């Protein structure tokens, strides 16, 4: 701590406060480098005193209010080339705004005191919804962000503020302020620094204007709670700008915030659905020494306490959840993130949210029935929300049958459409035989990465899934090679070994995947070994999926897994379906992975 000996300060002077709150004070340019090193060290090594704020004179410490004397961009070495110190247009706007606030003594960030009569804007609108409830004599406090300022002469200002996703008008009239009233010039100057984007507090009473609009009539001049230093645009249409400045996008574009609110409601509806059916919500590990439960390339990392152990982010919670069922938890579900080190596109992001449930003593028919009930419930809930709250979103045009949604069997449906007979898909040479049988009818890329499972999946994508644009579609009984964790049986129609599995597609999108879980430890081990054998000699897919038998899971099965139905759904795609979003990034708080890793650089380049 010897660096502290270079500075002498006391509790009452500005230099002391300058090092505690560096953005409050103008620092001499010769000390900039030294200061930066000191603050970097102090921010990591020292604890910051609480409740220490400086008044406007910078001479008395006070817990109530501090004034920010903005540093701006003046701390630049005077010897630097001229082209290095030219401020960006954004910085010029910020500096001008800061100077204006300082000139009007309005650059304040006060703490909130007691406000027993404070209510939210939505509650204000609800309380005084009836015309008979206004005008009201009670005095209340509203707080929110300014969305518009309209001046009508020198003695009347209308301000629209937003909070809780709703807006309300505020009228500030010099003639209606209580005595002693400010002078007209003082009134004008006091309201001059208030701009769109500022966060303010206003005390007043409810009334209605001549046009009948519910309004808060101010009994005092508004107070700045947090002035906006950067202008808030009226609109934002550039997609890149929107996702790299999501906080601005949320303020300007109602549709963006409505999609996020819809996402929250969908997740709550999922939870309510499972809780009502006595499911237990759980959280399973995200970091482990092994990523299993799906065929995907994992993200690899390490931990300080395990320096010689390679760890992986989970690609699916499936095997953890089934261990819990073995442990006597007959119905469990989890909503949480999974990670797959794969490409980014309009429907895929390496980090995504999964909802999975596992129900003991449930078969495929039970899973399909539950899925129909869940989706029907979600559609009704979404339609209600869009009529009452999320009005910027269009209701999804999804026609749901009452019951018995359309089902097609994987192999028989493809054989009929393609007019071919599939080879025995359990045979080692099934892939080349299937390619030969197709005789160019399907589009796919041959190469090392092409496996039998990938080819079958591509066939379903081209020839089966498009039918889901007409109505919801369950594709059932996939070939066993596509579902190593599912129970399998011999199809009576084709003689092929197929899985007790179903996928739900709506409007061409996979919505849910479900199957009866393999609970035979011997059969599960055999399927794991087949997976490993299929990868040998294929370096193109050597880093995908399990590389060894998951012995801990097989051993868990040896304790007995009841006949269990498992179900999974991508929450992000569900939100896309119901919101009408065309990109998965529109359903994520800060966009996809490419967007997230670009935010900091975009700020530096601004």
């Amino acid at each position: 701590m010897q660096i502290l000996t270079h500075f002498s300060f006391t509790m009452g002077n500005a230099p002391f406060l300058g090092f505690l709150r560096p953005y409050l004070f103008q620092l001499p340019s010769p000390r900039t480098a030294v200061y930066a090193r000191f603050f970097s060290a102090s921010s990591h090594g020292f604890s910051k005193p609480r409740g220490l704020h400086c008044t406007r004179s910078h001479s008395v410490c006070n817990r109530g209010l501090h004034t920010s004397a903005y540093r701006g961009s003046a701390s630049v070495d005077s010897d630097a080339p001229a082209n290095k110190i030219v401020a960006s247009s954004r910085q010029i706007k910020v500096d001008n705004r800061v100077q204006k606030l300082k000139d009007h003594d309005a650059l304040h960030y006060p703490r909130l005191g007691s406000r027993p009569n404070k209510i939210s804007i939505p509650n204000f609108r609800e309380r005084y919804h009836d015309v008979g409830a206004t005008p009201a004599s009670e005095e209340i406090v509203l707080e929110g962000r300014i969305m518009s300022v309209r001046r009508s002469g020198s003695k009347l200002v209308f301000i629209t503020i937003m909070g809780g996703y709703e807006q309300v008008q505020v009228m500030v009239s010099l003639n209606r302020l209580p005595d002693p009233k400010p002078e007209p010039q003082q009134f004008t100057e006091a309201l001059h620094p208030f701009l769109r984007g500022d966060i303010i507090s206003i005390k007043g009473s409810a009334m209605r204007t001549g046009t009948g609009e519910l309004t808060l009539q101010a009994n005092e001049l508004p107070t700045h709670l947090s002035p906006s230093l950067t202008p808030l645009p009226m609109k934002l249409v550039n997609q890149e700008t929107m996702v790299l400045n999501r906080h601005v996008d949320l303020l300007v574009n109602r549709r963006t915030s409505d999609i996020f609110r819809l996402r929250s409601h969908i997740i709550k509806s999922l939870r309510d659905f499972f809780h009502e059916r006595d499911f237990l919500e759980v959280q399973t590990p995200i970091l482990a020494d092994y990523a299993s439960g799906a065929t995907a390339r994992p993200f690899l990392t390490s931990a300080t306490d395990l320096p010689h152990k390679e760890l992986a982010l989970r690609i699916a919670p499936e095997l953890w959840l089934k261990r819990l069922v073995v442990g006597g938890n007959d119905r469990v579900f989890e909503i949480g993130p999974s990670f797959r080190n794969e490409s980014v596109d309009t429907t895929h992001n390496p980090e995504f949210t999964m909802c999975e449930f596992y129900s003991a003593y449930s078969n495929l028919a039970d899973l399909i029935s539950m899925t129909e009930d869940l989706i029907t419930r979600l559609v009704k809930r979404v339609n209600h929300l869009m009529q009452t709250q999320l009005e910027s979103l269009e209701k999804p045009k999804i026609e749901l049958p009452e019951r018995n949604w359309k089902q097609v069997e994987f192999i028989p449906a493809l054989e009929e459409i393609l007019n071919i007979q599939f080879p025995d898909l359990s045979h080692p040479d099934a892939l080349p035989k299937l390619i030969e049988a197709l005789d160019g009818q399907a589009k796919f890329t041959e190469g090392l990465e092409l496996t039998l499972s990938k080819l079958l999946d591509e066939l379903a994508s081209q020839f089966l899934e498009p039918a889901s644009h007409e109505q919801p579609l369950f594709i059932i009984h996939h070939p066993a090679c596509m579902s190593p964790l599912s129970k399998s049986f011999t199809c009576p129609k084709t003689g092929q070994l197929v899985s007790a599995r179903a996928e739900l597609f709506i409007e061409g999108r996979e919505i849910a995947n479900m199957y009866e879980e393999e609970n035979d430890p011997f059969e599960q081990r055999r399927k794991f070994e087949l997976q490993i054998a299929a990868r040998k000699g294929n370096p193109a897919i050597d880093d995908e999926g399990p590389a060894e038998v998951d012995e801990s899971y097989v051993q868990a099965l040896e304790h007995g897994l009841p006949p269990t139905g498992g179900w999974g759904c991508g929450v992000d795609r569900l939100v896309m379906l119901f919101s009408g979003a065309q990109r998965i990034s529109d359903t994520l708080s800060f966009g996809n992975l490419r967007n997230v890793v670009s935010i900091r650089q975009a700020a530096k380049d601004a």
Side-chain angles (χ1 to χ4, degrees), residues 368 372 400-401 403-409 413 417 463-464 466-468 470-476 502-505:
I368 290 175
E372 292 175 352
L400 300 181
R403 270 292 175 187
N404 300 320
W405 296 4
K406 184 178 180 181
Q407 299 180 15
V408 297
E409 291 190 82
I417 293 171
F463 300 105
L464 300 182
S468 66
E470 301 172 3
Q471 60 178 310
L473 173 69
F474 285 102
I475 300 176
I476 64 173
E503 283 183 295
L504 173 63
F505 289 84

PDB file of all heavy atoms in Angstrom, residues 368 372 400-401 403-409 413 417 463-464 466-468 470-476 502-505:
ATOM      1  N   ILE A 368     -47.179 -37.941 -25.769  1.00  0.00           N
ATOM      2  CA  ILE A 368     -47.841 -37.216 -26.858  1.00  0.00           C
ATOM      3  C   ILE A 368     -49.076 -36.489 -26.325  1.00  0.00           C
ATOM      4  O   ILE A 368     -49.330 -35.331 -26.665  1.00  0.00           O
ATOM      5  CB  ILE A 368     -48.203 -38.193 -27.999  1.00  0.00           C
ATOM      6  CG1 ILE A 368     -46.933 -38.660 -28.717  1.00  0.00           C
ATOM      7  CG2 ILE A 368     -49.161 -37.548 -28.982  1.00  0.00           C
ATOM      8  CD1 ILE A 368     -47.164 -39.717 -29.787  1.00  0.00           C
ATOM      9  N   GLU A 372     -49.721 -32.383 -26.342  1.00  0.00           N
ATOM     10  CA  GLU A 372     -50.899 -31.729 -26.908  1.00  0.00           C
ATOM     11  C   GLU A 372     -51.546 -30.794 -25.891  1.00  0.00           C
ATOM     12  O   GLU A 372     -51.942 -29.669 -26.220  1.00  0.00           O
ATOM     13  CB  GLU A 372     -51.904 -32.790 -27.378  1.00  0.00           C
ATOM     14  CG  GLU A 372     -51.422 -33.599 -28.571  1.00  0.00           C
ATOM     15  CD  GLU A 372     -52.370 -34.727 -28.951  1.00  0.00           C
ATOM     16  OE1 GLU A 372     -53.328 -34.963 -28.182  1.00  0.00           O
ATOM     17  OE2 GLU A 372     -52.147 -35.360 -29.997  1.00  0.00           O
ATOM     18  N   LEU A 400     -54.925 -25.599 -34.031  1.00  0.00           N
ATOM     19  CA  LEU A 400     -54.681 -26.825 -33.287  1.00  0.00           C
ATOM     20  C   LEU A 400     -55.925 -27.721 -33.302  1.00  0.00           C
ATOM     21  O   LEU A 400     -57.023 -27.256 -32.971  1.00  0.00           O
ATOM     22  CB  LEU A 400     -54.314 -26.505 -31.833  1.00  0.00           C
ATOM     23  CG  LEU A 400     -53.064 -25.649 -31.609  1.00  0.00           C
ATOM     24  CD1 LEU A 400     -52.846 -25.449 -30.117  1.00  0.00           C
ATOM     25  CD2 LEU A 400     -51.834 -26.295 -32.234  1.00  0.00           C
ATOM     26  N   PRO A 401     -55.769 -28.976 -33.673  1.00  0.00           N
ATOM     27  CA  PRO A 401     -56.899 -29.913 -33.556  1.00  0.00           C
ATOM     28  C   PRO A 401     -57.274 -30.098 -32.086  1.00  0.00           C
ATOM     29  O   PRO A 401     -56.453 -29.876 -31.186  1.00  0.00           O
ATOM     30  CB  PRO A 401     -56.337 -31.209 -34.155  1.00  0.00           C
ATOM     31  CG  PRO A 401     -55.111 -30.805 -34.920  1.00  0.00           C
ATOM     32  CD  PRO A 401     -54.570 -29.608 -34.225  1.00  0.00           C
ATOM     33  N   ARG A 403     -57.992 -32.923 -30.553  1.00  0.00           N
ATOM     34  CA  ARG A 403     -57.266 -34.092 -30.060  1.00  0.00           C
ATOM     35  C   ARG A 403     -56.720 -34.873 -31.242  1.00  0.00           C
ATOM     36  O   ARG A 403     -57.035 -34.588 -32.395  1.00  0.00           O
ATOM     37  CB  ARG A 403     -58.189 -34.995 -29.244  1.00  0.00           C
ATOM     38  CG  ARG A 403     -58.243 -34.681 -27.753  1.00  0.00           C
ATOM     39  CD  ARG A 403     -56.918 -34.995 -27.096  1.00  0.00           C
ATOM     40  NE  ARG A 403     -56.874 -34.616 -25.693  1.00  0.00           N
ATOM     41  CZ  ARG A 403     -55.778 -34.662 -24.942  1.00  0.00           C
ATOM     42  NH1 ARG A 403     -54.645 -35.085 -25.478  1.00  0.00           N
ATOM     43  NH2 ARG A 403     -55.796 -34.285 -23.700  1.00  0.00           N
ATOM     44  N   ASN A 404     -55.904 -35.882 -30.935  1.00  0.00           N
ATOM     45  CA  ASN A 404     -55.387 -36.801 -31.951  1.00  0.00           C
ATOM     46  C   ASN A 404     -54.737 -36.047 -33.115  1.00  0.00           C
ATOM     47  O   ASN A 404     -55.171 -36.119 -34.264  1.00  0.00           O
ATOM     48  CB  ASN A 404     -56.509 -37.712 -32.471  1.00  0.00           C
ATOM     49  CG  ASN A 404     -57.127 -38.547 -31.372  1.00  0.00           C
ATOM     50  OD1 ASN A 404     -56.419 -39.054 -30.496  1.00  0.00           O
ATOM     51  ND2 ASN A 404     -58.442 -38.693 -31.398  1.00  0.00           N
ATOM     52  N   TRP A 405     -53.677 -35.302 -32.790  1.00  0.00           N
ATOM     53  CA  TRP A 405     -52.952 -34.569 -33.817  1.00  0.00           C
ATOM     54  C   TRP A 405     -52.329 -35.569 -34.802  1.00  0.00           C
ATOM     55  O   TRP A 405     -52.085 -36.723 -34.485  1.00  0.00           O
ATOM     56  CB  TRP A 405     -51.870 -33.709 -33.185  1.00  0.00           C
ATOM     57  CG  TRP A 405     -52.431 -32.635 -32.279  1.00  0.00           C
ATOM     58  CD1 TRP A 405     -53.736 -32.435 -31.937  1.00  0.00           C
ATOM     59  CD2 TRP A 405     -51.683 -31.630 -31.605  1.00  0.00           C
ATOM     60  NE1 TRP A 405     -53.858 -31.363 -31.090  1.00  0.00           N
ATOM     61  CE2 TRP A 405     -52.610 -30.843 -30.866  1.00  0.00           C
ATOM     62  CE3 TRP A 405     -50.341 -31.299 -31.533  1.00  0.00           C
ATOM     63  CZ2 TRP A 405     -52.225 -29.766 -30.076  1.00  0.00           C
ATOM     64  CZ3 TRP A 405     -49.942 -30.231 -30.746  1.00  0.00           C
ATOM     65  CH2 TRP A 405     -50.874 -29.468 -30.035  1.00  0.00           C
ATOM     66  N   LYS A 406     -52.058 -35.070 -35.989  1.00  0.00           N
ATOM     67  CA  LYS A 406     -51.558 -35.943 -37.054  1.00  0.00           C
ATOM     68  C   LYS A 406     -50.230 -36.593 -36.667  1.00  0.00           C
ATOM     69  O   LYS A 406     -49.334 -35.944 -36.127  1.00  0.00           O
ATOM     70  CB  LYS A 406     -51.394 -35.147 -38.343  1.00  0.00           C
ATOM     71  CG  LYS A 406     -50.960 -35.995 -39.533  1.00  0.00           C
ATOM     72  CD  LYS A 406     -50.855 -35.165 -40.805  1.00  0.00           C
ATOM     73  CE  LYS A 406     -50.412 -36.010 -41.989  1.00  0.00           C
ATOM     74  NZ  LYS A 406     -50.290 -35.217 -43.238  1.00  0.00           N
ATOM     75  N   GLN A 407     -50.112 -37.887 -36.979  1.00  0.00           N
ATOM     76  CA  GLN A 407     -48.878 -38.632 -36.740  1.00  0.00           C
ATOM     77  C   GLN A 407     -48.474 -39.355 -38.017  1.00  0.00           C
ATOM     78  O   GLN A 407     -49.333 -39.868 -38.744  1.00  0.00           O
ATOM     79  CB  GLN A 407     -49.061 -39.658 -35.616  1.00  0.00           C
ATOM     80  CG  GLN A 407     -49.436 -39.064 -34.269  1.00  0.00           C
ATOM     81  CD  GLN A 407     -49.593 -40.139 -33.200  1.00  0.00           C
ATOM     82  OE1 GLN A 407     -49.163 -41.294 -33.378  1.00  0.00           O
ATOM     83  NE2 GLN A 407     -50.212 -39.774 -32.079  1.00  0.00           N
ATOM     84  N   VAL A 408     -47.172 -39.387 -38.292  1.00  0.00           N
ATOM     85  CA  VAL A 408     -46.656 -40.194 -39.409  1.00  0.00           C
ATOM     86  C   VAL A 408     -45.485 -41.025 -38.897  1.00  0.00           C
ATOM     87  O   VAL A 408     -44.670 -40.545 -38.100  1.00  0.00           O
ATOM     88  CB  VAL A 408     -46.206 -39.321 -40.610  1.00  0.00           C
ATOM     89  CG1 VAL A 408     -47.374 -38.559 -41.185  1.00  0.00           C
ATOM     90  CG2 VAL A 408     -45.081 -38.371 -40.219  1.00  0.00           C
ATOM     91  N   GLU A 409     -45.421 -42.262 -39.339  1.00  0.00           N
ATOM     92  CA  GLU A 409     -44.307 -43.123 -38.957  1.00  0.00           C
ATOM     93  C   GLU A 409     -43.120 -42.865 -39.875  1.00  0.00           C
ATOM     94  O   GLU A 409     -43.273 -42.805 -41.101  1.00  0.00           O
ATOM     95  CB  GLU A 409     -44.721 -44.590 -39.021  1.00  0.00           C
ATOM     96  CG  GLU A 409     -45.723 -44.977 -37.944  1.00  0.00           C
ATOM     97  CD  GLU A 409     -45.928 -46.477 -37.890  1.00  0.00           C
ATOM     98  OE1 GLU A 409     -45.105 -47.182 -37.267  1.00  0.00           O
ATOM     99  OE2 GLU A 409     -46.905 -46.939 -38.484  1.00  0.00           O
ATOM    100  N   ALA A 413     -43.535 -43.711 -43.950  1.00  0.00           N
ATOM    101  CA  ALA A 413     -43.889 -42.480 -44.663  1.00  0.00           C
ATOM    102  C   ALA A 413     -42.843 -42.149 -45.721  1.00  0.00           C
ATOM    103  O   ALA A 413     -43.182 -41.766 -46.855  1.00  0.00           O
ATOM    104  CB  ALA A 413     -44.031 -41.328 -43.676  1.00  0.00           C
ATOM    105  N   ILE A 417     -43.315 -41.937 -49.847  1.00  0.00           N
ATOM    106  CA  ILE A 417     -43.035 -40.704 -50.592  1.00  0.00           C
ATOM    107  C   ILE A 417     -41.968 -40.930 -51.656  1.00  0.00           C
ATOM    108  O   ILE A 417     -42.086 -40.474 -52.804  1.00  0.00           O
ATOM    109  CB  ILE A 417     -42.596 -39.593 -49.613  1.00  0.00           C
ATOM    110  CG1 ILE A 417     -43.763 -39.181 -48.710  1.00  0.00           C
ATOM    111  CG2 ILE A 417     -42.075 -38.376 -50.379  1.00  0.00           C
ATOM    112  CD1 ILE A 417     -43.360 -38.243 -47.582  1.00  0.00           C
ATOM    113  N   PHE A 463     -38.661 -34.284 -46.619  1.00  0.00           N
ATOM    114  CA  PHE A 463     -39.874 -34.927 -47.112  1.00  0.00           C
ATOM    115  C   PHE A 463     -40.998 -35.077 -46.075  1.00  0.00           C
ATOM    116  O   PHE A 463     -42.148 -35.271 -46.469  1.00  0.00           O
ATOM    117  CB  PHE A 463     -39.525 -36.307 -47.681  1.00  0.00           C
ATOM    118  CG  PHE A 463     -38.553 -36.259 -48.821  1.00  0.00           C
ATOM    119  CD1 PHE A 463     -37.224 -36.625 -48.656  1.00  0.00           C
ATOM    120  CD2 PHE A 463     -38.964 -35.810 -50.073  1.00  0.00           C
ATOM    121  CE1 PHE A 463     -36.323 -36.566 -49.704  1.00  0.00           C
ATOM    122  CE2 PHE A 463     -38.067 -35.751 -51.135  1.00  0.00           C
ATOM    123  CZ  PHE A 463     -36.741 -36.119 -50.950  1.00  0.00           C
ATOM    124  N   LEU A 464     -40.690 -34.998 -44.796  1.00  0.00           N
ATOM    125  CA  LEU A 464     -41.728 -35.189 -43.779  1.00  0.00           C
ATOM    126  C   LEU A 464     -42.104 -33.889 -43.063  1.00  0.00           C
ATOM    127  O   LEU A 464     -43.282 -33.587 -42.885  1.00  0.00           O
ATOM    128  CB  LEU A 464     -41.276 -36.234 -42.746  1.00  0.00           C
ATOM    129  CG  LEU A 464     -40.974 -37.645 -43.269  1.00  0.00           C
ATOM    130  CD1 LEU A 464     -40.599 -38.561 -42.111  1.00  0.00           C
ATOM    131  CD2 LEU A 464     -42.164 -38.202 -44.021  1.00  0.00           C
ATOM    132  N   PRO A 466     -42.069 -30.659 -43.844  1.00  0.00           N
ATOM    133  CA  PRO A 466     -42.876 -29.606 -44.480  1.00  0.00           C
ATOM    134  C   PRO A 466     -44.379 -29.752 -44.268  1.00  0.00           C
ATOM    135  O   PRO A 466     -45.112 -28.762 -44.304  1.00  0.00           O
ATOM    136  CB  PRO A 466     -42.502 -29.739 -45.964  1.00  0.00           C
ATOM    137  CG  PRO A 466     -41.113 -30.292 -45.954  1.00  0.00           C
ATOM    138  CD  PRO A 466     -41.093 -31.244 -44.799  1.00  0.00           C
ATOM    139  N   ALA A 467     -44.867 -30.970 -44.027  1.00  0.00           N
ATOM    140  CA  ALA A 467     -46.306 -31.164 -43.802  1.00  0.00           C
ATOM    141  C   ALA A 467     -46.780 -30.457 -42.539  1.00  0.00           C
ATOM    142  O   ALA A 467     -47.981 -30.215 -42.371  1.00  0.00           O
ATOM    143  CB  ALA A 467     -46.626 -32.655 -43.719  1.00  0.00           C
ATOM    144  N   SER A 468     -45.856 -30.081 -41.648  1.00  0.00           N
ATOM    145  CA  SER A 468     -46.232 -29.405 -40.394  1.00  0.00           C
ATOM    146  C   SER A 468     -46.630 -27.953 -40.617  1.00  0.00           C
ATOM    147  O   SER A 468     -47.105 -27.294 -39.692  1.00  0.00           O
ATOM    148  CB  SER A 468     -45.084 -29.473 -39.388  1.00  0.00           C
ATOM    149  OG  SER A 468     -43.958 -28.718 -39.841  1.00  0.00           O
ATOM    150  N   GLU A 470     -49.057 -27.183 -42.484  1.00  0.00           N
ATOM    151  CA  GLU A 470     -50.516 -27.256 -42.600  1.00  0.00           C
ATOM    152  C   GLU A 470     -51.169 -27.471 -41.245  1.00  0.00           C
ATOM    153  O   GLU A 470     -52.219 -26.903 -40.945  1.00  0.00           O
ATOM    154  CB  GLU A 470     -50.889 -28.393 -43.558  1.00  0.00           C
ATOM    155  CG  GLU A 470     -50.300 -28.239 -44.953  1.00  0.00           C
ATOM    156  CD  GLU A 470     -50.533 -29.476 -45.802  1.00  0.00           C
ATOM    157  OE1 GLU A 470     -51.204 -30.412 -45.299  1.00  0.00           O
ATOM    158  OE2 GLU A 470     -50.045 -29.511 -46.946  1.00  0.00           O
ATOM    159  N   GLN A 471     -50.561 -28.292 -40.393  1.00  0.00           N
ATOM    160  CA  GLN A 471     -51.079 -28.584 -39.062  1.00  0.00           C
ATOM    161  C   GLN A 471     -49.960 -29.198 -38.237  1.00  0.00           C
ATOM    162  O   GLN A 471     -48.977 -29.702 -38.786  1.00  0.00           O
ATOM    163  CB  GLN A 471     -52.270 -29.542 -39.135  1.00  0.00           C
ATOM    164  CG  GLN A 471     -51.943 -30.881 -39.778  1.00  0.00           C
ATOM    165  CD  GLN A 471     -53.130 -31.820 -39.790  1.00  0.00           C
ATOM    166  OE1 GLN A 471     -53.780 -32.040 -38.766  1.00  0.00           O
ATOM    167  NE2 GLN A 471     -53.448 -32.366 -40.966  1.00  0.00           N
ATOM    168  N   PRO A 472     -50.067 -29.176 -36.901  1.00  0.00           N
ATOM    169  CA  PRO A 472     -49.029 -29.798 -36.073  1.00  0.00           C
ATOM    170  C   PRO A 472     -48.845 -31.264 -36.454  1.00  0.00           C
ATOM    171  O   PRO A 472     -49.812 -31.969 -36.767  1.00  0.00           O
ATOM    172  CB  PRO A 472     -49.584 -29.657 -34.652  1.00  0.00           C
ATOM    173  CG  PRO A 472     -50.494 -28.475 -34.722  1.00  0.00           C
ATOM    174  CD  PRO A 472     -51.104 -28.519 -36.093  1.00  0.00           C
ATOM    175  N   LEU A 473     -47.586 -31.694 -36.438  1.00  0.00           N
ATOM    176  CA  LEU A 473     -47.261 -33.035 -36.928  1.00  0.00           C
ATOM    177  C   LEU A 473     -46.318 -33.747 -35.963  1.00  0.00           C
ATOM    178  O   LEU A 473     -45.279 -33.192 -35.579  1.00  0.00           O
ATOM    179  CB  LEU A 473     -46.596 -32.935 -38.306  1.00  0.00           C
ATOM    180  CG  LEU A 473     -46.041 -34.229 -38.904  1.00  0.00           C
ATOM    181  CD1 LEU A 473     -47.186 -35.170 -39.284  1.00  0.00           C
ATOM    182  CD2 LEU A 473     -45.160 -33.933 -40.118  1.00  0.00           C
ATOM    183  N   PHE A 474     -46.684 -34.958 -35.558  1.00  0.00           N
ATOM    184  CA  PHE A 474     -45.799 -35.833 -34.801  1.00  0.00           C
ATOM    185  C   PHE A 474     -45.164 -36.827 -35.773  1.00  0.00           C
ATOM    186  O   PHE A 474     -45.875 -37.587 -36.454  1.00  0.00           O
ATOM    187  CB  PHE A 474     -46.555 -36.613 -33.724  1.00  0.00           C
ATOM    188  CG  PHE A 474     -46.936 -35.809 -32.514  1.00  0.00           C
ATOM    189  CD1 PHE A 474     -48.230 -35.353 -32.352  1.00  0.00           C
ATOM    190  CD2 PHE A 474     -46.002 -35.517 -31.528  1.00  0.00           C
ATOM    191  CE1 PHE A 474     -48.596 -34.619 -31.241  1.00  0.00           C
ATOM    192  CE2 PHE A 474     -46.345 -34.783 -30.419  1.00  0.00           C
ATOM    193  CZ  PHE A 474     -47.665 -34.323 -30.261  1.00  0.00           C
ATOM    194  N   ILE A 475     -43.838 -36.802 -35.847  1.00  0.00           N
ATOM    195  CA  ILE A 475     -43.105 -37.851 -36.568  1.00  0.00           C
ATOM    196  C   ILE A 475     -42.709 -38.883 -35.529  1.00  0.00           C
ATOM    197  O   ILE A 475     -42.033 -38.553 -34.542  1.00  0.00           O
ATOM    198  CB  ILE A 475     -41.867 -37.281 -37.284  1.00  0.00           C
ATOM    199  CG1 ILE A 475     -42.282 -36.212 -38.303  1.00  0.00           C
ATOM    200  CG2 ILE A 475     -41.094 -38.400 -37.974  1.00  0.00           C
ATOM    201  CD1 ILE A 475     -41.115 -35.530 -38.985  1.00  0.00           C
ATOM    202  N   ILE A 476     -43.123 -40.135 -35.720  1.00  0.00           N
ATOM    203  CA  ILE A 476     -42.935 -41.149 -34.683  1.00  0.00           C
ATOM    204  C   ILE A 476     -42.120 -42.329 -35.207  1.00  0.00           C
ATOM    205  O   ILE A 476     -41.971 -42.531 -36.402  1.00  0.00           O
ATOM    206  CB  ILE A 476     -44.285 -41.660 -34.134  1.00  0.00           C
ATOM    207  CG1 ILE A 476     -45.080 -42.374 -35.222  1.00  0.00           C
ATOM    208  CG2 ILE A 476     -45.112 -40.493 -33.582  1.00  0.00           C
ATOM    209  CD1 ILE A 476     -46.353 -43.054 -34.704  1.00  0.00           C
ATOM    210  N   ALA A 502     -40.981 -39.767 -30.569  1.00  0.00           N
ATOM    211  CA  ALA A 502     -41.794 -38.859 -31.388  1.00  0.00           C
ATOM    212  C   ALA A 502     -41.178 -37.469 -31.348  1.00  0.00           C
ATOM    213  O   ALA A 502     -40.607 -37.062 -30.335  1.00  0.00           O
ATOM    214  CB  ALA A 502     -43.230 -38.810 -30.883  1.00  0.00           C
ATOM    215  N   GLU A 503     -41.296 -36.766 -32.463  1.00  0.00           N
ATOM    216  CA  GLU A 503     -40.908 -35.363 -32.550  1.00  0.00           C
ATOM    217  C   GLU A 503     -42.118 -34.562 -33.002  1.00  0.00           C
ATOM    218  O   GLU A 503     -42.814 -34.958 -33.936  1.00  0.00           O
ATOM    219  CB  GLU A 503     -39.776 -35.161 -33.561  1.00  0.00           C
ATOM    220  CG  GLU A 503     -38.405 -35.569 -33.100  1.00  0.00           C
ATOM    221  CD  GLU A 503     -37.356 -35.251 -34.161  1.00  0.00           C
ATOM    222  OE1 GLU A 503     -37.430 -35.859 -35.243  1.00  0.00           O
ATOM    223  OE2 GLU A 503     -36.488 -34.400 -33.908  1.00  0.00           O
ATOM    224  N   LEU A 504     -42.348 -33.422 -32.345  1.00  0.00           N
ATOM    225  CA  LEU A 504     -43.441 -32.540 -32.745  1.00  0.00           C
ATOM    226  C   LEU A 504     -42.892 -31.403 -33.589  1.00  0.00           C
ATOM    227  O   LEU A 504     -41.942 -30.713 -33.187  1.00  0.00           O
ATOM    228  CB  LEU A 504     -44.151 -31.960 -31.519  1.00  0.00           C
ATOM    229  CG  LEU A 504     -45.206 -30.877 -31.828  1.00  0.00           C
ATOM    230  CD1 LEU A 504     -46.355 -31.445 -32.658  1.00  0.00           C
ATOM    231  CD2 LEU A 504     -45.726 -30.248 -30.541  1.00  0.00           C
ATOM    232  N   PHE A 505     -43.505 -31.194 -34.753  1.00  0.00           N
ATOM    233  CA  PHE A 505     -43.147 -30.086 -35.633  1.00  0.00           C
ATOM    234  C   PHE A 505     -44.384 -29.207 -35.840  1.00  0.00           C
ATOM    235  O   PHE A 505     -45.497 -29.716 -36.043  1.00  0.00           O
ATOM    236  CB  PHE A 505     -42.641 -30.593 -36.988  1.00  0.00           C
ATOM    237  CG  PHE A 505     -41.280 -31.230 -36.928  1.00  0.00           C
ATOM    238  CD1 PHE A 505     -41.138 -32.568 -36.580  1.00  0.00           C
ATOM    239  CD2 PHE A 505     -40.145 -30.477 -37.199  1.00  0.00           C
ATOM    240  CE1 PHE A 505     -39.889 -33.148 -36.520  1.00  0.00           C
ATOM    241  CE2 PHE A 505     -38.882 -31.059 -37.134  1.00  0.00           C
ATOM    242  CZ  PHE A 505     -38.760 -32.394 -36.793  1.00  0.00           C
TER     243      PHE A 505
END
